[in-house]
Amino acid sequence: MLFDLDDTLLNRDQAVENMFFILIEKCYEDIKRSAKIEMLQKFKEYDKKAYGDGDKAKVFEAFFDEFPTEYRLSSHDIQDFWNNNFPNCFSINQKTINTLNTIKKHVKVAIITNGSTQRQRAKIIKTNLDRYFETIIISEEVGLIKPDKHIFDLALDKLNVKPEEALFVGDDMEKDIGGCQNANINGIWFNPYNTNNTTDIKPYDEINSFDRLISYFT
């Protein structure tokens, strides 16, 4: 069983919220609660627009332009601030760990994630996920990126399994589900918020709770 990382194994939305409060503490003073709510929403919007872009200056510059502060981070410092703090904003849900432990009793498990090697490795180590997976493939590290079928083929080769013997679990319909199906792997769409599928891609299955994966082995 192969897994995506962000928004599948790890709750990236919660991590972005944690990052926001670190930013507020460093760069702003005496912000009212009502203002923080508005600022958090905007920060999430800017982050979502730049998701997948390694240069986080766009997120912060847009945010600082809308919410000026005399303690504004310089463009030079933004990337280091993000790299040093964001991985520490992640935590792992105990239910996810319990599910992984059950699945590992039956099959090999791997992670396939897009992103920078530095940040993705830091997240994985911070949450101790490196203890659970036989193979971890990061796009920057291997020069391949989802939905390219070859990154899925690489994982299969490392695990020594055939496409029809594998399942991929991910939240992104095009990069995760479309990508794995390009490699003839059945894709399970992790959809905890029950959003509508607006693509032509048809997942093998859809789940809204991580522990539902156990049903594949019982």
Side-chain angles (χ1 to χ4, degrees), residues 178-203:
C180 75
Q181 290 180 350
N182 288 338
N184 297 314
I185 300 169
N186 285 326
I188 300 173
W189 184 31
F190 180 56
N191 183 22
Y193 304 113
N194 295 311
T195 58
N196 292 325
N197 178 9
T198 57
T199 74
D200 294 327
I201 300 166
K202 304 298 181 187

Side-chain angles (χ1 to χ4, degrees), residues 5 10 83-84 86-88 90 116-128 138:
L5 183 63
L10 299 179
N83 289 344
N84 292 335
F86 193 51
N88 295 323
F90 285 84
S116 78
T117 301
Q118 177 187 356
R119 285 200 294 270
Q120 299 305 78
R121 284 281 175 197
K123 293 176 195 175
I124 289 165
I125 292 169
K126 166 68 169 55
T127 54
N128 294 318
I138 300 172

